[in-house]
Amino acid sequence: MNTTWSRFNITSITLGFAFLYLPIVLLVVFSFNESKLVTVWGGFSTKWYVSLFHNQGLMDAAWVTIRVGLISATVATVLGTMGALALTRYTRFRGRVLFSGMIFAPLVMPDVITGLSLLLLFVAIGMDRGMTTVILAHITFTMCFVAVVVQSRLVSFDRSLEEAAMDLGAPPVKTFFQITLPVILPAIVSGWMLAFTLSLDDLVIASFASGPGATTLPMKIYSQVRLGVTPEINAACTLLIAIVTIGVIIASVANKRREVQRQLDERAAQRG
Amino acid sequence: MSNIAVADAAPPPTAAKPFMMRLGAGFVSRLVIIVPYLWLLFFFLVPFVIVFKISLSQTAIAMPPYTPVLDFRDGISGFFTGFRDLNFDNYVWLTQDALYFRAYLTSVVIAAISTVLTLLVGYPIAYGMARAPATIRPTLLMLVILPFWTSFLIRVYAWIGILKPEGLLNQLLLSLHIINQPLVILNTYTAIFIGIVYSYLPFMVLPLYSSLEKMDYSLIEAAKDLGCPPTAAFWKITFPLSLPGVIAGCLLVFIPAVGEFVIPDLLGGSQTLMIGKTLWNEFFANRDWPVSSAVAVILLLLLIVPIVLFQHAQARAQEQDK
């Protein structure tokens, strides 16, 4: 295959990535601004990070957000993986069309609708709004993303491995944990990370589902942004970006290593 | 040969499985379906039923702020007598107030224009990525996905500093003497377009890339050899072959964009009208739960066709992968 990478291709990619990254880079740069103005450079300073750590409201919100993210991502990963297994392994069961509809619809459903409907549910069943309701709401919409990610891995999974294990007498549950799980683990890990960042990120659904006392970081950032743009918010955003970027890079490096190892193993197995 | 020997030595699979194990397998497999199924029924489908029901209620100064409150406190009969008080007044109200109709219409138009713009911006990027040397493609892919992992709110917020009258874009253009007066972009529909294109670009590029990457470029070579000019080759070969990606990408951008709240709220200001914002204000500022439910029901009806199309596209893509 002739892959001529023309000047046009290079230009469009360069411009595209500039468009994607320039706003984020500017945001990060201005978080180190000495001046209180976000758009006029007044020299390098880390004072906004210091004031950030003394801002009790923001710190509390960050702690709530992290707890919500960890719990909801973990439960969503379990439920989403089950959903993915149900979709790929059981092609016939009653209500499968509805099931796959309920998995795919939340991916594109506008947040305002999901948020409003969940809030009305919580009110209808008389549940006090707070961290628990935010967690339940986040599990619901992130599990669908996990299901899609895991499903795409399961589709290309070589089922003869499972059949071999079962033929040799491994019970289904053991087969799952010893054969299937290790193979789909990278997808499960990236599903978890996706669920965690989506939860970390969500403003609209959390605003509907949350009650007094459970303010998440995006809710806090949003209410401060409405009052005006400050370098402190830039600093908070920069920290969030840094955490996510490091996480993604670690995950992708680990993934690549595993992939290389797998290829080496396969080659060794073929020779042996 | 050793494999076959092992297989022969093992007893026939089904007969050998003890009864309890088969029962366990059946139970586990049923659990795998039932648990997420029930979860989604309860937290995704039932809430829609409740939204629909409340959209037929009346606003009341109480908590929850609507009447009748359908619950089983008065027993089954109380639950059913409540139904008599339900009516379509909120929907009539929505049709009478031109504000809602305009909000729906502008949302759909803004989402449609932004989708086309995102396609125009995203296509060259996806095409360039698909034609990049195979060694750097994974890196490029990660670079497209990475912004998607950073907060949506943060990415929208970043544009406020750029688009403000005294913002970075205006500073740049003024210092280059391209303009004499600062451009007013923030709090206009232009800012919303920029925000949507920027935020949803990865959703467009990824499906486009995956369909363009699968394409066989020898087809283009063949067309060129037969004297087909490059533009014609693009429209006759490349574009039709990338159509599944185009459709998936457009739906992934269009559907959430119609109900978008954060972008019109932060970049559009108070002058711009979009239905997600209207719903939010109706709920949080006016505390009118029945009307905001009715707004949500109509928004959902509006989106049901694109959502079904999206699911079909997903199911088809999944079939092809198999």
Side-chain angles (χ1 to χ4, degrees):
Chain A
M1 191 175 79
N2 179 15
T3 49
T4 42
W5 212 24
S6 68
R7 205 170 299 157
F8 173 74
N9 292 148
I10 294 171
T11 318
S12 56
I13 285 200
T14 315
L15 287 178
F17 283 134
F19 177 60
L20 275 177
Y21 282 94
L22 212 53
I24 301 177
V25 170
L26 288 172
L27 179 105
V28 171
V29 168
F30 277 92
S31 75
F32 293 105
N33 193 2
E34 173 75 41
S35 159
K36 203 176 163 46
L37 294 167
V38 188
T39 48
V40 182
W41 186 250
F44 181 86
S45 158
T46 50
K47 66 176 182 187
W48 301 112
Y49 289 87
V50 177
S51 79
L52 182 69
F53 284 102
H54 289 112
N55 185 335
Q56 198 54 45
L58 269 180
M59 284 292 119
D60 288 346
W63 179 228
V64 170
T65 311
I66 289 171
R67 276 186 295 169
V68 168
L70 289 176
I71 299 171
S72 64
T74 309
V75 180
T77 304
V78 175
L79 287 172
T81 307
M82 288 171 115
L85 282 168
L87 274 184
T88 39
R89 292 300 161 78
Y90 306 103
T91 45
R92 259 163 222 278
F93 58 87
R94 214 173 297 162
R96 190 179 183 277
V97 176
L98 178 67
F99 186 63
S100 74
M102 288 194 300
I103 293 274
F104 288 118
L107 303 182
V108 287
M109 189 63 68
D111 290 347
V112 280
I113 298 183
T114 316
L116 178 72
S117 63
L118 278 165
L119 166 79
L120 296 179
L121 172 80
F122 295 138
V123 171
I125 60 174
M127 207 166 168
D128 281 337
R129 279 178 284 152
M131 215 171 88
T132 319
T133 46
V134 178
I135 291 173
L136 289 173
H138 280 184
I139 292 171
T140 308
F141 91 97
T142 55
M143 68 174 273
C144 303
F145 285 87
V146 177
V148 171
V149 171
V150 175
Q151 186 204 22
S152 67
R153 184 74 189 88
L154 275 172
V155 166
S156 61
F157 180 78
D158 185 2
R159 290 204 66 183
S160 59
L161 289 173
E162 284 177 349
E163 281 157 18
M166 302 240 243
D167 285 353
L168 294 170
V173 177
K174 195 179 174 192
T175 307
F176 175 78
F177 282 104
Q178 298 222 317
I179 308 289
T180 319
L181 195 62
V183 176
I184 62 171
L185 197 62
I188 293 179
V189 170
S190 51
W192 186 90
M193 286 185 55
L194 183 61
F196 183 69
T197 43
L198 283 170
S199 164
L200 219 63
D201 199 28
D202 166 65
L203 164 73
V204 176
I205 295 174
S207 299
F208 277 103
S210 171
T215 309
T216 65
L217 198 54
M219 287 164 70
K220 193 84 195 162
I221 292 177
Y222 173 72
S223 66
Q224 294 212 352
V225 168
R226 300 215 70 182
L227 298 175
V229 180
T230 64
E232 203 175 282
I233 296 289
N234 279 31
C237 295
T238 304
L239 284 182
L240 270 180
I241 292 171
I243 293 168
V244 171
T245 311
I246 292 167
V248 171
I249 289 171
I250 289 174
S252 74
V253 168
N255 224 348
K256 196 160 196 180
R257 263 209 204 134
R258 213 168 11 226
E259 188 68 17
V260 169
Q261 186 61 43
R262 195 178 62 84
Q263 281 171 1
L264 287 176
D265 288 350
E266 272 173 15
R267 233 171 280 161
Q270 272 168 6
R271 256 179 311 195
Chain B
M1 286 313 277
S2 61
N3 289 347
I4 294 168
V6 172
D8 283 342
T14 42
K17 271 187 204 156
F19 175 72
M20 281 306 288
M21 200 151 78
R22 259 184 295 157
L23 190 75
F27 180 69
V28 168
S29 73
R30 228 164 285 156
L31 215 60
V32 159
I33 300 172
I34 287 172
V35 175
Y37 207 128
L38 286 182
W39 184 283
L40 286 172
L41 270 184
F42 189 70
F43 286 105
F44 187 70
L45 209 61
V46 169
F48 284 132
V49 179
I50 297 174
V51 169
F52 183 65
K53 188 235 110 187
I54 290 176
S55 74
L56 303 175
S57 307
Q58 301 293 315
T59 314
I61 302 171
M63 185 65 210
Y66 53 85
T67 176
V69 183
L70 288 193
D71 57 25
F72 295 99
R73 243 170 279 169
D74 308 329
I76 294 289
S77 62
F79 181 82
F80 282 109
T81 48
F83 272 100
R84 268 180 302 175
D85 299 328
L86 296 178
N87 58 57
F88 284 90
D89 284 359
N90 293 314
Y91 292 93
V92 175
W93 161 253
L94 288 190
T95 56
Q96 279 167 350
D97 194 333
L99 174 90
Y100 296 103
F101 181 71
R102 267 186 36 229
Y104 281 116
L105 197 67
T106 31
S107 298
V108 171
V109 171
I110 287 179
I113 296 173
S114 320
T115 306
V116 174
L117 291 174
T118 317
L119 180 64
L120 290 177
V121 175
Y123 206 102
I125 301 175
Y127 187 79
M129 283 170 61
R131 306 230 50 189
T135 44
I136 66 162
R137 263 184 240 162
T139 314
L140 291 175
L141 197 60
M142 203 179 109
L143 282 172
V144 171
I145 298 171
L146 201 57
F148 171 76
W149 291 86
T150 38
S151 169
F152 193 78
L153 184 64
I154 293 175
R155 282 181 289 149
V156 176
Y157 165 77
W159 278 96
I160 300 179
I162 298 172
L163 297 177
K164 282 200 298 193
E166 68 280 13
L168 297 165
L169 181 69
N170 275 322
Q171 283 181 29
L172 178 75
L173 293 177
L174 284 170
S175 67
L176 293 174
H177 299 288
I178 296 171
I179 52 170
N180 299 320
Q181 290 272 314
L183 298 170
V184 180
I185 305 177
L186 193 65
N187 298 344
T188 64
Y189 285 108
T190 317
I192 299 185
F193 290 136
I194 294 173
I196 295 180
V197 172
Y198 179 70
S199 308
Y200 287 95
L201 194 59
F203 289 101
M204 182 64 88
V205 172
L206 292 177
L208 281 176
Y209 169 76
S210 74
S211 61
L212 281 170
E213 201 214 5
K214 275 183 240 157
M215 202 182 107
D216 180 4
Y217 283 95
S218 57
L219 292 172
I220 305 280
E221 301 288 315
K224 215 195 294 173
D225 289 350
L226 295 170
C228 184
T231 1
F234 174 81
W235 288 112
K236 283 191 173 140
I237 301 166
T238 313
F239 190 74
L241 281 175
S242 67
L243 215 52
V246 172
I247 292 169
C250 285
L251 288 171
L252 274 173
V253 175
F254 177 78
I255 303 170
V258 173
E260 183 55 53
F261 165 74
V262 178
I263 297 170
D265 191 63
L266 289 183
L267 299 179
S270 54
Q271 293 303 305
T272 57
L273 195 63
M274 270 184 92
I275 199 66
K277 225 171 82 181
T278 311
L279 194 157
W280 177 284
N281 288 335
E282 214 51 82
F283 186 86
F284 285 105
N286 298 348
R287 293 193 59 78
D288 194 335
W289 292 19
V291 165
S292 44
S293 301
V295 171
V297 169
I298 298 202
L299 177 56
L300 195 62
L301 289 177
L302 214 65
L303 293 178
I304 213 108
V305 174
I307 287 176
V308 170
L309 282 176
F310 170 73
Q311 287 180 352
H312 274 273
Q314 286 287 319
R316 213 179 310 140
Q318 199 193 325
E319 286 304 308
Q320 273 171 6
D321 280 347
K322 279 180 185 171

